[in-house]
Amino acid sequence: MRKEIMMKKKWLYAAVALIVIAAAVLIGTLVQNNAHKGDKEITVTVVDQTKDSEEEVFNKKLYTDAEDLTSFLKEQTELKAEIEDSTYGSLLTSICSLDQDMEKGPYLVFESDNNQTCKDYGMCPAMDDVVLEDGDSFTFKLIAGF
């Protein structure tokens, strides 16, 4: 009888341990999945550098639950972003009525001094790969050439 009780206790302890482990994994997964979701404040500045003097066309804080830069630009109608699919992923062809000409310029470029993905790469990678975090700021520039 005593042996039976000890076996039941072992099974009970094993079950409790499994439940605790499963709960920890579930909580970790939820936290990880929500790390890039939710209301984020993103500052966007759009600058035209193709004229004699630089002209700031747009500067505003926008709110989103988008996870990446491409999704953010597609949902923000105020930015009037036009995006095409290209061989290398999404390609921004226009923002705030500033259009780029891939053949001869002008060109659209973007940068961020505080986005973690851009910091990790040493520069901003393709828009599809830029993960958004609350407080990020991006500057989009129309430039005459490289």
Side-chain angles (χ1 to χ4, degrees):
M1 178 83 125
R2 189 169 169 106
K3 197 174 189 181
E4 230 177 85
I5 292 174
M6 295 214 19
M7 282 299 283
K8 285 183 182 180
K9 281 185 178 181
K10 285 182 181 180
W11 283 108
L12 179 63
Y13 291 140
V16 168
L18 283 174
I19 290 171
V20 168
I21 290 169
V25 168
L26 179 63
I27 290 170
T29 302
L30 290 174
V31 168
Q32 183 179 5
N33 287 343
N34 288 328
H36 303 295
K37 292 183 181 177
D39 294 326
K40 299 175 195 90
E41 180 182 89
I42 309 295
T43 302
V44 176
T45 304
V46 179
V47 177
D48 185 350
Q49 291 185 336
T50 61
K51 301 177 180 167
D52 290 335
S53 63
E54 183 176 291
E55 178 186 355
E56 186 174 275
V57 177
F58 186 91
N59 188 336
K60 191 172 182 182
K61 292 179 192 281
L62 301 169
Y63 299 90
T64 186
D65 62 354
E67 294 184 25
D68 60 73
L69 187 57
T70 303
S71 301
F72 170 73
L73 292 172
K74 285 180 178 179
E75 79 177 21
Q76 297 294 327
T77 57
E78 190 173 5
L79 292 172
K80 300 181 231 166
E82 294 178 21
I83 299 170
E84 295 178 2
D85 291 328
S86 76
T87 307
Y88 303 104
S90 298
L91 173 68
L92 182 65
T93 59
S94 180
I95 189 166
C96 295
S97 301
L98 297 178
D99 303 324
Q100 84 169 330
D101 182 341
M102 289 300 292
E103 300 297 319
K104 58 186 177 197
Y107 306 97
L108 282 170
V109 296
F110 70 95
E111 62 189 20
S112 175
D113 59 357
N114 70 343
N115 173 271
Q116 191 59 51
T117 305
C118 297
K119 286 172 150 182
D120 290 346
Y121 278 81
M123 60 182 253
C124 290
M127 296 185 319
D128 298 335
D129 298 330
V130 176
V131 178
L132 297 181
E133 296 287 345
D134 184 40
D136 283 348
S137 61
F138 294 92
T139 301
F140 294 85
K141 298 177 183 177
L142 185 68
I143 59 173
F146 293 100

